[in-house]
Amino acid sequence: MAFVCLDIRCPWIFLICTLFGCTLSSNTEIKVNPPRNFEIVDPGYLGYLYLRWQPPLALDKFEKCTVEYVLKYRNVDSQRWRTVITKNLHYKDGFDLNKRIEAKVHTLLSSQCTNGSEAQSSWSEATYWTQEQGSVETKIKDMDCVYYNWKYLVCSWKPGMSEHTDTNYNLFFWYEGLDHARQCVDYIKAHGKNIGCRMSYLESSDYKDFFICVNGSSKFKPIRSSYFIFQLQNIVKPLPPDSLSLTVNNLFEVNLKWNIPEGPIPARCFIYEITFTEDDTSWMTTTDKNEINLPRTLNESEHLCFLVRSKVNIYCSDDGLWSEWSNKQCWEGERWKKTLVFFVMPFLFVVVLVIVMVYLLAYKQKTLLKMELLSKNVWNYCSKSRRHKQNYPNKANLRIKWY
């Protein structure tokens, strides 16, 4: 680092200060040299780049001064610069390699060396971009990645518009902790082509940038590469809750409960969305617990149902994906009435019918017996009358007493 005095009286001021121990005037302008050999280096980590530089010239003359560097960088389509103030001679960060990158850095001297005001140098600038091969139409489309239950990552894509029959795609990934970029070993295929990848056992990969590159090959034309950066905790899709229960506490309140989804996601990281249906009315609510009491809007409602789904909350991620909805859990009011209508009443009808039929059969049998007995009595009477007439032909007024 070098200081340049622009005041024409500088030599005399320095001489007087040397002899009498005075300090430099605050009006003296001091200039600082910019950092040297500023460059952006790609180590092959699919977007994780090194920005590095060397100290300004003549810095060894001011060893007691605090020297800092102000670094600004961005992708060229961004309106916002990222700014870092550091004492180091390098900085690392992730960039979107689909776009050009620009950065600049200058030297900053603390006020103790510059008479109470900070001094800064001019900017040193650098740019970086990948060598693009193939047309934009050859890139993959609709890239989608989901980190299922915080266990394994599944990415899928669609082939480019101008692909040939021999075109195929490969996926590479890297995150901090790996010594080199790795290729997918479990591709998802359709018609013999790679259209996705499953990545499991991603140890210590969350809460850091996860870099992905999908490139391709063809004998007929070059395929342009596509680059992506994810934070895995922000694309987690949990399992849906299970073992739902619905309990009616009273006429005014119901209790809903479910099990926390299984897996590595801590219970404190969940938020739940509930859809509650009361007769023909539905409404939604959220909670961070796996149990909630809800008021009943219709005290005499007889049909209650609810579903629930889960998501990683804002305390464990910046974003996330909702799980699928759980199975529906319902409660039917006054069940004994329906049981009576659909089961007991038919049974009672059959019982009554059987009793009536038995009674009718018994009555019929009793009537037949009476008729048979009457027939016998009439027959006996007729028989005795004929015998009497034969025995007493002249006693027409003979009384016959029946017992």
Side-chain angles (χ1 to χ4, degrees), residues 133-144:
Q133 297 182 350
S135 63
V136 176
E137 290 76 16
T138 62
K139 296 176 64 173
I140 63 168
K141 301 181 301 178
D142 301 335
M143 180 70 162
D144 181 57

Side-chain angles (χ1 to χ4, degrees), residues 71-312:
L71 173 67
K72 293 179 177 287
Y73 58 93
R74 66 177 181 179
N75 284 105
V76 292
D77 65 333
S78 175
Q79 300 297 323
R80 185 176 65 88
W81 290 87
R82 293 186 181 181
T83 303
V84 177
I85 300 177
T86 179
K87 296 178 182 179
N88 298 321
L89 298 175
H90 59 85
Y91 191 76
K92 304 174 184 179
D93 204 355
F95 294 86
D96 182 2
L97 294 187
N98 296 301
K99 304 165 186 175
R100 187 171 178 174
I101 299 155
E102 59 183 357
K104 54 186 180 180
V105 63
H106 67 214
T107 310
L108 182 66
L109 271 183
S110 61
S111 58
Q112 65 182 8
C113 294
T114 56
N115 301 323
S117 62
E118 292 183 339
Q120 62 184 34
S121 72
S122 59
W123 293 103
S124 292
E125 300 182 355
T127 59
Y128 180 81
W129 65 93
T130 57
Q131 297 296 326
E132 297 180 348
Q133 297 182 350
S135 63
V136 176
E137 290 76 16
T138 62
K139 296 176 64 173
I140 63 168
K141 301 181 301 178
D142 301 335
M143 180 70 162
D144 181 57
C145 291
V146 178
Y147 198 28
Y148 286 99
N149 206 31
W150 216 304
K151 279 187 173 182
Y152 60 95
L153 178 66
V154 176
C155 293
S156 59
W157 59 84
K158 294 180 181 178
M161 296 179 61
S162 59
E163 63 158 350
H164 287 275
T165 55
D166 72 326
T167 302
N168 208 351
Y169 300 94
N170 301 299
L171 181 145
F172 297 85
F173 66 93
W174 182 87
Y175 58 89
E176 194 170 3
L178 300 180
D179 55 356
H180 64 277
R182 297 183 181 180
Q183 184 176 1
C184 174
V185 296
D186 186 11
Y187 283 107
I188 302 170
K189 297 180 178 290
H191 308 293
K193 295 185 178 182
N194 300 332
I195 61 166
C197 174
R198 299 183 190 89
M199 290 160 275
S200 55
Y201 307 109
L202 301 173
E203 185 177 358
S204 301
S205 59
D206 44 318
Y207 299 104
K208 60 183 67 173
D209 286 338
F210 191 96
F211 299 87
I212 291 178
C213 172
V214 180
N215 59 24
S217 61
S218 172
K219 295 180 181 179
F220 299 95
K221 61 167 59 176
I223 307 298
R224 182 171 292 192
S225 300
S226 297
Y227 297 90
F228 307 91
I229 305 175
F230 297 99
Q231 289 266 330
L232 295 189
Q233 75 277 359
N234 294 335
I235 55 173
V236 172
K237 184 175 183 178
L239 293 174
D242 58 3
S243 301
L244 279 64
S245 68
L246 191 158
T247 305
V248 177
N249 295 336
N250 49 54
L251 289 175
F252 309 101
E253 187 180 66
V254 296
N255 175 264
L256 311 180
K257 188 184 296 186
W258 54 89
N259 282 351
I260 297 172
E262 296 182 357
I265 306 176
R268 59 181 174 80
C269 289
F270 281 109
I271 185 173
Y272 303 97
E273 186 175 62
I274 301 104
T275 297
F276 184 71
T277 302
E278 189 171 8
D279 288 341
D280 296 328
T281 303
S282 296
W283 49 282
M284 301 179 70
T285 186
T286 58
T287 178
D288 58 355
K289 307 295 182 183
N290 65 318
E291 182 178 6
I292 188 172
N293 290 324
L294 296 179
R296 297 175 66 178
T297 57
L298 304 173
N299 296 340
E300 297 181 357
S301 56
E302 296 185 359
H303 184 75
L304 306 174
C305 290
F306 83 102
L307 303 95
V308 62
R309 61 179 180 174
S310 60
K311 180 183 176 181
V312 178

Side-chain angles (χ1 to χ4, degrees), residues 381 384-386 388-389 397-403:
Y381 173 76
K384 289 181 179 182
S385 295
R386 284 196 300 269
H388 180 75
K389 288 180 180 182
N397 297 325
L398 179 66
R399 286 186 178 181
I400 299 174
K401 185 177 181 181
W402 295 91
Y403 295 94

